[in-house]
Amino acid sequence: QVQLVESGGRSVLAGDSLRLSCTVSGRTFSTSVLGWFRRSPGNEREFITAISRGDGGSRIYVDSVKDRFTISRNNANNTMYLQMTNLKPEDTAVYYCAATRKTSLATRNQDYDYWGQGTQVTVSS
């Protein structure tokens, strides 16, 4: 059984930085394409970023977080990270990590097979 567990979400002030973690079990971590999504109040869950299998050499970001958020992975401890800087109130959302059986980077909700339970990030101005 594949399990993804997010952690690190909390309330911060605008301009602050925060790092989210996602630990994956039950699946060979290094062979999985991984992604982060978020859902803000009243909106659908949206794609933020994804990282390729293996050494994570390929990454893709949605424009709204490019240059502020960085996705990374550590295959030694089966953990993926989302480093967020210069946070804005509009970044307030529940953040989800996800894994897919696809072998290439994926950006759609339906591309992902496994999901975490989500972690809340609240950014106050």
Side-chain angles (χ1 to χ4, degrees):
Q1 182 178 358
V2 180
Q3 289 189 318
L4 291 83
V5 180
E6 304 96 337
S7 61
R10 61 184 177 91
S11 296
V12 297
L13 297 176
D16 283 353
S17 298
L18 192 62
R19 189 178 77 163
L20 305 182
S21 300
C22 172
T23 301
V24 182
S25 61
R27 179 173 174 82
T28 305
F29 181 83
S30 62
T31 63
S32 297
V33 171
L34 303 170
W36 286 98
F37 291 72
R38 67 185 179 187
R39 176 157 49 201
S40 57
N43 294 312
E44 295 184 351
R45 187 166 57 191
E46 64 171 350
F47 169 80
I48 302 174
T49 179
I51 189 167
S52 59
R53 303 182 301 167
D55 65 3
S58 295
R59 308 169 190 188
I60 186 170
Y61 297 91
V62 67
D63 285 346
S64 60
V65 305
K66 200 173 295 183
D67 299 328
R68 296 190 300 123
F69 290 11
T70 302
I71 189 172
S72 62
R73 64 189 300 156
N74 184 334
N75 294 334
N77 63 12
N78 289 0
T79 302
M80 173 178 63
Y81 303 99
L82 182 65
Q83 179 66 49
M84 305 184 291
T85 64
N86 190 22
L87 282 161
K88 304 176 181 180
E90 52 263 42
D91 295 317
T92 294
V94 178
Y95 284 71
Y96 300 89
C97 64
T100 175
R101 292 191 294 262
K102 294 184 179 296
T103 58
S104 58
L105 292 176
T107 63
R108 303 179 305 170
N109 281 269
Q110 58 265 42
D111 290 333
Y112 286 80
D113 305 292
Y114 310 102
W115 294 86
Q117 82 289 347
T119 186
Q120 176 72 46
V121 173
T122 302
V123 185
S124 302
S125 58

